[in-house]
Amino acid sequence: MKLEAIAAFADNYIWMLHDGAEALVVDPGDAGPVLDALAARSLRLAGILVTHHHADHIGGLIELLPHLRGPIFGPAHERMPVPITPCQSGDHCQLLGQNFQVLDVPGHTAGHIAFYCDQPGDANAPLLFCGDTLFSGGCGRLFEGTPAQMFASLQTLAALPGNTRVCCTHEYTLANLRFAREIEPANAELATYQQWCLERRQRDLPTLPSSLSLELQINPFLRCSEPAVIVAAQSFAAAGQTNNPVEVFTHLRQWKNNYR
Ligand code: ZN
Ligand code: FE
């Protein structure tokens, strides 16, 4: 079983998992790069996972349909352009002999879901396909959900095993880390990780997948109970003396929305 990130658009990744013969892809916003990758590796498309309804995650579905020899698992509570097998928390999806647990993670969109595979067939660490909910060093914007919902969704993901490979759908890491360093200038892991990511991007390599244990050390949106993060949030827009993690998260998200 091999995991690959197919680049699409300006900064999307379409994750592909394959066994040398059959592949699944996650959030195919564009069919072209997927068909090219399948052809280059002589793979059949055995299934698709979809996390949410945004165009950069579903835009390739109609064009991929004639090539697909299997199911599309997607969010039960979002509108999809093609027939799907609807999924929500508690459901399990079987693809390529892998078992994916579905997690409801509302916030970026109201019906956003994530897929978690505890024991992937590559005998490597667990896999998480989290769409636009968790990014390395950041999190998705709140288009449809409340800060409290997004905070709870991130907590759900943060509770997964530390070695979980976090497969985010955008290469936003460097921009996220500039903000993270503003929040936590004294975080040494953050400085080290930023340097590593700079070198990866200079060589045009992905910074992903990340790992949950790393994100817990460097991602301010997962660190809303850390004293340094609380102090930073309090300094933003007269946020007052709050140390409530949901309020800290709310202020961080507002700050990041307008951060350049
Ligand atoms: Zn999105
Ligand atoms: Fe997206």
Side-chain angles (χ1 to χ4, degrees):
M1 209 52 75
K2 191 163 192 237
L3 177 69
E4 296 187 59
I6 302 169
F9 306 120
D11 52 31
N12 282 68
Y13 292 125
I14 300 169
W15 292 95
M16 171 185 267
L17 192 65
H18 70 84
D19 61 11
E22 298 197 302
L24 69 84
V25 294
V26 186
D27 285 350
D30 193 2
V34 173
L35 294 173
D36 289 348
L38 291 169
R41 296 159 184 76
S42 304
L43 299 168
R44 285 183 303 277
L45 185 58
I48 298 177
L49 304 177
V50 178
T51 64
H52 68 290
H53 69 83
H54 285 161
D56 63 311
H57 299 249
I58 63 168
L61 288 176
I62 288 171
E63 198 181 333
L64 289 175
L65 218 43
H67 304 271
L68 179 62
R69 301 285 173 269
I72 303 174
F73 294 109
H77 302 294
E78 298 202 344
R79 196 189 299 271
M80 291 284 128
V82 296
I84 62 155
T85 303
C87 300
Q88 57 192 314
S89 263
D91 289 342
H92 291 263
C93 313
Q94 311 291 333
L95 263 184
L96 293 183
Q98 314 291 303
N99 178 53
F100 292 93
Q101 183 186 339
V102 179
L103 303 166
D104 286 338
V105 286
H108 178 69
T109 62
H112 199 303
I113 58 174
F115 298 90
Y116 172 68
C117 180
D118 195 18
Q119 290 183 311
D122 60 359
N124 204 328
L127 271 175
L128 173 67
F129 297 114
C130 53
D132 286 354
T133 298
L134 176 61
F135 295 123
S136 185
C139 72
R141 283 175 187 262
L142 304 181
F143 287 114
E144 298 173 10
T146 65
Q149 280 180 318
M150 187 59 144
F151 180 80
S153 295
L154 292 172
Q155 293 297 113
T156 298
L157 300 183
L160 296 172
N163 64 343
T164 300
R165 288 174 284 172
V166 181
C167 302
C168 323
T169 41
H170 289 274
E171 182 60 68
Y172 289 159
T173 312
L174 287 179
N176 287 338
L177 294 183
R178 269 197 306 117
F179 178 72
R181 292 209 65 188
E182 170 111 27
I183 303 300
E184 286 193 278
N187 182 331
E189 284 84 10
L190 188 50
T192 305
Y193 179 53
Q194 185 184 38
Q195 195 52 46
W196 182 84
C197 290
L198 278 166
E199 285 162 21
R200 294 282 296 181
R201 296 308 295 146
Q202 274 164 9
R203 291 187 287 151
D204 207 28
L205 295 171
T207 60
L208 303 169
S210 184
S211 75
L212 263 183
S213 56
L214 175 67
E215 293 305 314
L216 290 170
Q217 288 184 297
I218 60 95
N219 189 326
F221 296 95
L222 300 181
R223 294 168 61 78
C224 294
S225 299
E226 287 292 319
V229 176
I230 292 169
V231 168
Q234 287 173 350
S235 77
F236 171 70
Q241 292 307 302
T242 182
N243 59 6
N244 174 305
V246 177
E247 289 176 26
V248 170
F249 173 81
T250 305
H251 292 305
L252 284 186
R253 188 57 261 182
Q254 280 171 4
W255 189 350
K256 177 69 167 61
N257 285 348
N258 302 306
Y259 189 77
R260 293 284 174 273

